[in-house]
Amino acid sequence: MSEKKSYGFTTTILHNDRQKPIEHGSLHKPIHTSVTFGYNDARQLASVFQGKEPGFRYGRQGNPTISALEDKITKMEDGVSTLCFATGMGAIGAVFQALLRAGDHIVSSSFLFGNTNSLWQTAAGQGVEVAFADATDVANVEAALTPATRLVFVETIANPRTQVADLARIGQLCKERGILFVVDNTMTSPYLFRPKTVGAGLVVNALTKSIGGHGNALGGSLTDTGAYDWSAFPNIAANYKRNPPAQWGMAQLRAKALRDFGASLAPEAAHHIAVGAETLALRMERASANALAVASMLEADERVAAVYYPGLASHPQHALARDLFKAYGSLFSFELKDGIDCFDYLNRLKLGISASNLGDTRTLVIPVSHTIFYEMGAERRASMGIAESLIRVSVGIEDTADLLDDFRSALG
């Protein structure tokens, strides 16, 4: 496989490891469990620590297995570099930990994954002001900006109500203002959408979800797309400015979030994720088609009060999603009509598994208000449009006819 020839998404991911020598001709990068790396020349060790040449220092900041995964994700996102973390929340937390200071201001989409919402509450308690805005319209984001705004954070498709952010216009706004645009791509994955195309400087992926895809490894990543001018970011420490400006952000993130904070991905998990990533495109196509089929069936049933899925023409951001994404993803949510208990419905499902995860090969269902969004309280849930009866569905790759029969039969 030639580095110069341009290959498709899946071909690139399948053969990416072989672009660098692998021990014994292995097709996958092996699992390197060593946490420390020795050098025959002490001067070379010093040179690696000083960033003058590539190499591995200590397992907390990476090892060959993790480096191979980082390179794979960089290719997926068409970025310039990637850092992997122990979880997706570790990746988002790294942005706060390494790049923000007391007195800074961020603008975040008001439609957020519950744990991200909790993280921003933590940030606010430590002196970082957080403004929440309805990111489906760039005007709301613009109105929330202040002179202290350091970054804008949005998800591509919100979890669980599936609102779609006004990504291209927000990206243009951030470019005009010199603000770092951070996009969580977990709900779409790099196969369905590349945030670089709308000007995102940093891209978050919860590798646990669709990229790993099999529910057997936790992980997260941050990818620098090269779209942001780090010389405009005021919080870069002087010692990281020894690098060219394009490297400042990732140098500080690696040091502050991995070396200092220690949210490091384990090599065994990196290996599972790397292998799972090889079938990302195939799984996303199947799961997205299944999600559209099941969501369409439920929307047509009189026993269902509402269905939220960007692939439906009734969705408020359907046209936006159609223009942005290759497909509409594997996640949707729905509400049942009064008189149908959501717990009883879930218990009648034979294939849908009551569990908390997304992007698995199997279809997973969960009553949102009573579980993952319970802690934020009824008032905050109501402000996000999350009904007490809302059911979130992460659609898997089962046979479409079997899923349709299961979700229809459970209606009673």
Side-chain angles (χ1 to χ4, degrees), residues 18-43:
R18 299 193 303 113
Q19 298 313 295
K20 297 177 181 178
I22 308 180
E23 301 89 322
H24 311 298
S26 172
L27 297 185
H28 293 114
K29 190 69 174 176
I31 302 174
H32 290 264
T33 57
S34 180
V35 298
T36 190
F37 307 89
Y39 292 85
N40 293 326
D41 184 341
R43 290 182 179 84

PDB file of all heavy atoms in Angstrom, residues 18-43:
ATOM      1  N   ARG A  18       0.351  -1.064   8.747  1.00  0.00           N
ATOM      2  CA  ARG A  18       1.453  -1.586   7.930  1.00  0.00           C
ATOM      3  C   ARG A  18       2.283  -0.491   7.264  1.00  0.00           C
ATOM      4  O   ARG A  18       3.275  -0.787   6.594  1.00  0.00           O
ATOM      5  CB  ARG A  18       0.910  -2.537   6.865  1.00  0.00           C
ATOM      6  CG  ARG A  18       0.197  -3.751   7.435  1.00  0.00           C
ATOM      7  CD  ARG A  18      -0.051  -4.826   6.383  1.00  0.00           C
ATOM      8  NE  ARG A  18      -0.801  -4.327   5.245  1.00  0.00           N
ATOM      9  CZ  ARG A  18      -0.319  -4.202   4.011  1.00  0.00           C
ATOM     10  NH1 ARG A  18       0.919  -4.533   3.739  1.00  0.00           N
ATOM     11  NH2 ARG A  18      -1.083  -3.754   3.035  1.00  0.00           N
ATOM     12  N   GLN A  19       1.893   0.775   7.459  1.00  0.00           N
ATOM     13  CA  GLN A  19       2.675   1.866   6.882  1.00  0.00           C
ATOM     14  C   GLN A  19       3.976   2.091   7.647  1.00  0.00           C
ATOM     15  O   GLN A  19       4.870   2.786   7.179  1.00  0.00           O
ATOM     16  CB  GLN A  19       1.842   3.145   6.845  1.00  0.00           C
ATOM     17  CG  GLN A  19       0.585   3.032   5.980  1.00  0.00           C
ATOM     18  CD  GLN A  19       0.865   2.416   4.622  1.00  0.00           C
ATOM     19  OE1 GLN A  19       1.582   3.002   3.822  1.00  0.00           O
ATOM     20  NE2 GLN A  19       0.331   1.241   4.368  1.00  0.00           N
ATOM     21  N   LYS A  20       4.055   1.512   8.847  1.00  0.00           N
ATOM     22  CA  LYS A  20       5.293   1.542   9.630  1.00  0.00           C
ATOM     23  C   LYS A  20       5.668   0.099   9.954  1.00  0.00           C
ATOM     24  O   LYS A  20       4.789  -0.767  10.071  1.00  0.00           O
ATOM     25  CB  LYS A  20       5.097   2.348  10.906  1.00  0.00           C
ATOM     26  CG  LYS A  20       4.765   3.820  10.649  1.00  0.00           C
ATOM     27  CD  LYS A  20       4.501   4.557  11.943  1.00  0.00           C
ATOM     28  CE  LYS A  20       4.139   6.013  11.672  1.00  0.00           C
ATOM     29  NZ  LYS A  20       3.824   6.758  12.924  1.00  0.00           N
ATOM     30  N   PRO A  21       6.939  -0.200  10.120  1.00  0.00           N
ATOM     31  CA  PRO A  21       7.337  -1.593  10.384  1.00  0.00           C
ATOM     32  C   PRO A  21       6.668  -2.158  11.640  1.00  0.00           C
ATOM     33  O   PRO A  21       6.563  -1.481  12.662  1.00  0.00           O
ATOM     34  CB  PRO A  21       8.858  -1.476  10.584  1.00  0.00           C
ATOM     35  CG  PRO A  21       9.246  -0.215   9.891  1.00  0.00           C
ATOM     36  CD  PRO A  21       8.090   0.718  10.049  1.00  0.00           C
ATOM     37  N   ILE A  22       6.196  -3.412  11.546  1.00  0.00           N
ATOM     38  CA  ILE A  22       5.592  -4.105  12.684  1.00  0.00           C
ATOM     39  C   ILE A  22       6.396  -5.381  12.937  1.00  0.00           C
ATOM     40  O   ILE A  22       6.791  -6.081  12.003  1.00  0.00           O
ATOM     41  CB  ILE A  22       4.109  -4.459  12.426  1.00  0.00           C
ATOM     42  CG1 ILE A  22       3.310  -3.219  11.976  1.00  0.00           C
ATOM     43  CG2 ILE A  22       3.474  -5.049  13.680  1.00  0.00           C
ATOM     44  CD1 ILE A  22       1.852  -3.518  11.705  1.00  0.00           C
ATOM     45  N   GLU A  23       6.594  -5.677  14.202  1.00  0.00           N
ATOM     46  CA  GLU A  23       7.383  -6.844  14.570  1.00  0.00           C
ATOM     47  C   GLU A  23       6.820  -8.128  13.958  1.00  0.00           C
ATOM     48  O   GLU A  23       5.612  -8.360  13.983  1.00  0.00           O
ATOM     49  CB  GLU A  23       7.420  -6.995  16.101  1.00  0.00           C
ATOM     50  CG  GLU A  23       8.014  -5.808  16.831  1.00  0.00           C
ATOM     51  CD  GLU A  23       7.028  -4.731  17.198  1.00  0.00           C
ATOM     52  OE1 GLU A  23       6.108  -4.440  16.390  1.00  0.00           O
ATOM     53  OE2 GLU A  23       7.166  -4.152  18.281  1.00  0.00           O
ATOM     54  N   HIS A  24       7.695  -8.944  13.390  1.00  0.00           N
ATOM     55  CA  HIS A  24       7.390 -10.291  12.904  1.00  0.00           C
ATOM     56  C   HIS A  24       6.335 -10.316  11.805  1.00  0.00           C
ATOM     57  O   HIS A  24       5.702 -11.346  11.571  1.00  0.00           O
ATOM     58  CB  HIS A  24       6.926 -11.190  14.067  1.00  0.00           C
ATOM     59  CG  HIS A  24       7.833 -11.126  15.272  1.00  0.00           C
ATOM     60  ND1 HIS A  24       9.150 -11.517  15.230  1.00  0.00           N
ATOM     61  CD2 HIS A  24       7.601 -10.684  16.540  1.00  0.00           C
ATOM     62  CE1 HIS A  24       9.698 -11.335  16.426  1.00  0.00           C
ATOM     63  NE2 HIS A  24       8.785 -10.817  17.239  1.00  0.00           N
ATOM     64  N   GLY A  25       6.122  -9.200  11.128  1.00  0.00           N
ATOM     65  CA  GLY A  25       5.153  -9.171  10.040  1.00  0.00           C
ATOM     66  C   GLY A  25       3.708  -9.192  10.485  1.00  0.00           C
ATOM     67  O   GLY A  25       2.796  -9.463   9.686  1.00  0.00           O
ATOM     68  N   SER A  26       3.440  -8.888  11.756  1.00  0.00           N
ATOM     69  CA  SER A  26       2.062  -8.859  12.266  1.00  0.00           C
ATOM     70  C   SER A  26       1.217  -7.862  11.473  1.00  0.00           C
ATOM     71  O   SER A  26       1.695  -6.805  11.070  1.00  0.00           O
ATOM     72  CB  SER A  26       2.083  -8.457  13.739  1.00  0.00           C
ATOM     73  OG  SER A  26       0.777  -8.247  14.225  1.00  0.00           O
ATOM     74  N   LEU A  27      -0.042  -8.206  11.247  1.00  0.00           N
ATOM     75  CA  LEU A  27      -0.950  -7.299  10.538  1.00  0.00           C
ATOM     76  C   LEU A  27      -1.530  -6.237  11.461  1.00  0.00           C
ATOM     77  O   LEU A  27      -1.991  -5.194  11.001  1.00  0.00           O
ATOM     78  CB  LEU A  27      -2.078  -8.089   9.868  1.00  0.00           C
ATOM     79  CG  LEU A  27      -1.637  -9.084   8.785  1.00  0.00           C
ATOM     80  CD1 LEU A  27      -2.859  -9.696   8.112  1.00  0.00           C
ATOM     81  CD2 LEU A  27      -0.743  -8.421   7.747  1.00  0.00           C
ATOM     82  N   HIS A  28      -1.569  -6.527  12.767  1.00  0.00           N
ATOM     83  CA  HIS A  28      -1.998  -5.547  13.756  1.00  0.00           C
ATOM     84  C   HIS A  28      -0.795  -5.114  14.592  1.00  0.00           C
ATOM     85  O   HIS A  28       0.112  -5.903  14.825  1.00  0.00           O
ATOM     86  CB  HIS A  28      -3.043  -6.138  14.722  1.00  0.00           C
ATOM     87  CG  HIS A  28      -4.343  -6.461  14.090  1.00  0.00           C
ATOM     88  ND1 HIS A  28      -4.807  -7.746  13.974  1.00  0.00           N
ATOM     89  CD2 HIS A  28      -5.285  -5.677  13.535  1.00  0.00           C
ATOM     90  CE1 HIS A  28      -5.981  -7.740  13.368  1.00  0.00           C
ATOM     91  NE2 HIS A  28      -6.287  -6.489  13.100  1.00  0.00           N
ATOM     92  N   LYS A  29      -0.821  -3.882  15.039  1.00  0.00           N
ATOM     93  CA  LYS A  29       0.200  -3.455  15.987  1.00  0.00           C
ATOM     94  C   LYS A  29       0.031  -4.268  17.267  1.00  0.00           C
ATOM     95  O   LYS A  29      -1.073  -4.319  17.833  1.00  0.00           O
ATOM     96  CB  LYS A  29       0.047  -1.963  16.296  1.00  0.00           C
ATOM     97  CG  LYS A  29       1.216  -1.381  17.095  1.00  0.00           C
ATOM     98  CD  LYS A  29       2.478  -1.325  16.264  1.00  0.00           C
ATOM     99  CE  LYS A  29       3.605  -0.625  17.005  1.00  0.00           C
ATOM    100  NZ  LYS A  29       4.862  -0.653  16.224  1.00  0.00           N
ATOM    101  N   PRO A  30       1.064  -4.936  17.755  1.00  0.00           N
ATOM    102  CA  PRO A  30       0.930  -5.763  18.958  1.00  0.00           C
ATOM    103  C   PRO A  30       0.640  -4.924  20.203  1.00  0.00           C
ATOM    104  O   PRO A  30       0.799  -3.694  20.203  1.00  0.00           O
ATOM    105  CB  PRO A  30       2.303  -6.435  19.076  1.00  0.00           C
ATOM    106  CG  PRO A  30       2.929  -6.301  17.739  1.00  0.00           C
ATOM    107  CD  PRO A  30       2.389  -5.038  17.159  1.00  0.00           C
ATOM    108  N   ILE A  31       0.227  -5.598  21.268  1.00  0.00           N
ATOM    109  CA  ILE A  31      -0.015  -4.936  22.549  1.00  0.00           C
ATOM    110  C   ILE A  31       1.318  -4.810  23.285  1.00  0.00           C
ATOM    111  O   ILE A  31       1.912  -5.814  23.684  1.00  0.00           O
ATOM    112  CB  ILE A  31      -1.025  -5.721  23.404  1.00  0.00           C
ATOM    113  CG1 ILE A  31      -2.354  -5.888  22.659  1.00  0.00           C
ATOM    114  CG2 ILE A  31      -1.250  -5.011  24.732  1.00  0.00           C
ATOM    115  CD1 ILE A  31      -3.353  -6.767  23.384  1.00  0.00           C
ATOM    116  N   HIS A  32       1.760  -3.593  23.448  1.00  0.00           N
ATOM    117  CA  HIS A  32       2.987  -3.324  24.197  1.00  0.00           C
ATOM    118  C   HIS A  32       2.590  -2.952  25.629  1.00  0.00           C
ATOM    119  O   HIS A  32       2.033  -1.884  25.862  1.00  0.00           O
ATOM    120  CB  HIS A  32       3.774  -2.183  23.548  1.00  0.00           C
ATOM    121  CG  HIS A  32       4.388  -2.547  22.240  1.00  0.00           C
ATOM    122  ND1 HIS A  32       5.690  -2.964  22.108  1.00  0.00           N
ATOM    123  CD2 HIS A  32       3.856  -2.584  20.988  1.00  0.00           C
ATOM    124  CE1 HIS A  32       5.950  -3.228  20.838  1.00  0.00           C
ATOM    125  NE2 HIS A  32       4.851  -3.000  20.135  1.00  0.00           N
ATOM    126  N   THR A  33       2.892  -3.820  26.571  1.00  0.00           N
ATOM    127  CA  THR A  33       2.477  -3.581  27.956  1.00  0.00           C
ATOM    128  C   THR A  33       3.529  -2.853  28.782  1.00  0.00           C
ATOM    129  O   THR A  33       3.248  -2.453  29.911  1.00  0.00           O
ATOM    130  CB  THR A  33       2.155  -4.918  28.652  1.00  0.00           C
ATOM    131  OG1 THR A  33       3.304  -5.772  28.587  1.00  0.00           O
ATOM    132  CG2 THR A  33       0.976  -5.614  27.974  1.00  0.00           C
ATOM    133  N   SER A  34       4.719  -2.654  28.248  1.00  0.00           N
ATOM    134  CA  SER A  34       5.765  -1.974  29.006  1.00  0.00           C
ATOM    135  C   SER A  34       5.374  -0.522  29.271  1.00  0.00           C
ATOM    136  O   SER A  34       4.849   0.166  28.390  1.00  0.00           O
ATOM    137  CB  SER A  34       7.086  -2.007  28.239  1.00  0.00           C
ATOM    138  OG  SER A  34       8.096  -1.341  28.969  1.00  0.00           O
ATOM    139  N   VAL A  35       5.658  -0.072  30.502  1.00  0.00           N
ATOM    140  CA  VAL A  35       5.366   1.323  30.836  1.00  0.00           C
ATOM    141  C   VAL A  35       6.620   2.193  30.764  1.00  0.00           C
ATOM    142  O   VAL A  35       6.529   3.412  30.927  1.00  0.00           O
ATOM    143  CB  VAL A  35       4.738   1.461  32.236  1.00  0.00           C
ATOM    144  CG1 VAL A  35       3.417   0.731  32.303  1.00  0.00           C
ATOM    145  CG2 VAL A  35       5.687   0.962  33.320  1.00  0.00           C
ATOM    146  N   THR A  36       7.763   1.576  30.528  1.00  0.00           N
ATOM    147  CA  THR A  36       8.988   2.374  30.444  1.00  0.00           C
ATOM    148  C   THR A  36       9.843   1.890  29.280  1.00  0.00           C
ATOM    149  O   THR A  36       9.734   0.740  28.847  1.00  0.00           O
ATOM    150  CB  THR A  36       9.770   2.308  31.769  1.00  0.00           C
ATOM    151  OG1 THR A  36      10.827   3.257  31.736  1.00  0.00           O
ATOM    152  CG2 THR A  36      10.339   0.917  32.022  1.00  0.00           C
ATOM    153  N   PHE A  37      10.667   2.780  28.753  1.00  0.00           N
ATOM    154  CA  PHE A  37      11.397   2.520  27.519  1.00  0.00           C
ATOM    155  C   PHE A  37      12.852   2.934  27.692  1.00  0.00           C
ATOM    156  O   PHE A  37      13.145   4.070  28.092  1.00  0.00           O
ATOM    157  CB  PHE A  37      10.747   3.280  26.357  1.00  0.00           C
ATOM    158  CG  PHE A  37       9.272   2.992  26.237  1.00  0.00           C
ATOM    159  CD1 PHE A  37       8.351   3.757  26.924  1.00  0.00           C
ATOM    160  CD2 PHE A  37       8.823   1.925  25.471  1.00  0.00           C
ATOM    161  CE1 PHE A  37       6.986   3.475  26.845  1.00  0.00           C
ATOM    162  CE2 PHE A  37       7.470   1.633  25.386  1.00  0.00           C
ATOM    163  CZ  PHE A  37       6.549   2.402  26.072  1.00  0.00           C
ATOM    164  N   GLY A  38      13.772   1.993  27.420  1.00  0.00           N
ATOM    165  CA  GLY A  38      15.190   2.242  27.633  1.00  0.00           C
ATOM    166  C   GLY A  38      15.911   2.672  26.372  1.00  0.00           C
ATOM    167  O   GLY A  38      15.511   2.326  25.255  1.00  0.00           O
ATOM    168  N   TYR A  39      16.980   3.436  26.527  1.00  0.00           N
ATOM    169  CA  TYR A  39      17.784   3.926  25.415  1.00  0.00           C
ATOM    170  C   TYR A  39      19.252   3.581  25.669  1.00  0.00           C
ATOM    171  O   TYR A  39      19.755   3.726  26.797  1.00  0.00           O
ATOM    172  CB  TYR A  39      17.616   5.446  25.261  1.00  0.00           C
ATOM    173  CG  TYR A  39      16.235   5.837  24.799  1.00  0.00           C
ATOM    174  CD1 TYR A  39      15.197   6.001  25.714  1.00  0.00           C
ATOM    175  CD2 TYR A  39      15.948   6.004  23.450  1.00  0.00           C
ATOM    176  CE1 TYR A  39      13.920   6.338  25.305  1.00  0.00           C
ATOM    177  CE2 TYR A  39      14.681   6.346  23.019  1.00  0.00           C
ATOM    178  CZ  TYR A  39      13.664   6.513  23.954  1.00  0.00           C
ATOM    179  OH  TYR A  39      12.398   6.837  23.541  1.00  0.00           O
ATOM    180  N   ASN A  40      19.928   3.123  24.641  1.00  0.00           N
ATOM    181  CA  ASN A  40      21.345   2.802  24.771  1.00  0.00           C
ATOM    182  C   ASN A  40      22.206   4.047  24.937  1.00  0.00           C
ATOM    183  O   ASN A  40      23.282   4.005  25.525  1.00  0.00           O
ATOM    184  CB  ASN A  40      21.826   2.006  23.547  1.00  0.00           C
ATOM    185  CG  ASN A  40      21.190   0.624  23.480  1.00  0.00           C
ATOM    186  OD1 ASN A  40      20.927   0.007  24.515  1.00  0.00           O
ATOM    187  ND2 ASN A  40      20.935   0.155  22.268  1.00  0.00           N
ATOM    188  N   ASP A  41      21.699   5.159  24.401  1.00  0.00           N
ATOM    189  CA  ASP A  41      22.428   6.419  24.463  1.00  0.00           C
ATOM    190  C   ASP A  41      21.636   7.383  25.350  1.00  0.00           C
ATOM    191  O   ASP A  41      20.506   7.761  25.022  1.00  0.00           O
ATOM    192  CB  ASP A  41      22.593   6.989  23.054  1.00  0.00           C
ATOM    193  CG  ASP A  41      23.425   8.266  23.019  1.00  0.00           C
ATOM    194  OD1 ASP A  41      23.576   8.916  24.072  1.00  0.00           O
ATOM    195  OD2 ASP A  41      23.903   8.617  21.926  1.00  0.00           O
ATOM    196  N   ALA A  42      22.193   7.767  26.472  1.00  0.00           N
ATOM    197  CA  ALA A  42      21.497   8.663  27.402  1.00  0.00           C
ATOM    198  C   ALA A  42      21.186  10.008  26.761  1.00  0.00           C
ATOM    199  O   ALA A  42      20.209  10.676  27.126  1.00  0.00           O
ATOM    200  CB  ALA A  42      22.333   8.865  28.660  1.00  0.00           C
ATOM    201  N   ARG A  43      22.023  10.418  25.806  1.00  0.00           N
ATOM    202  CA  ARG A  43      21.748  11.684  25.116  1.00  0.00           C
ATOM    203  C   ARG A  43      20.457  11.593  24.307  1.00  0.00           C
ATOM    204  O   ARG A  43      19.710  12.565  24.192  1.00  0.00           O
ATOM    205  CB  ARG A  43      22.921  12.057  24.215  1.00  0.00           C
ATOM    206  CG  ARG A  43      24.169  12.466  24.984  1.00  0.00           C
ATOM    207  CD  ARG A  43      25.279  12.880  24.027  1.00  0.00           C
ATOM    208  NE  ARG A  43      26.482  13.307  24.771  1.00  0.00           N
ATOM    209  CZ  ARG A  43      27.401  12.485  25.231  1.00  0.00           C
ATOM    210  NH1 ARG A  43      27.281  11.156  24.997  1.00  0.00           N
ATOM    211  NH2 ARG A  43      28.433  12.951  25.894  1.00  0.00           N
TER     212      ARG A  43
END
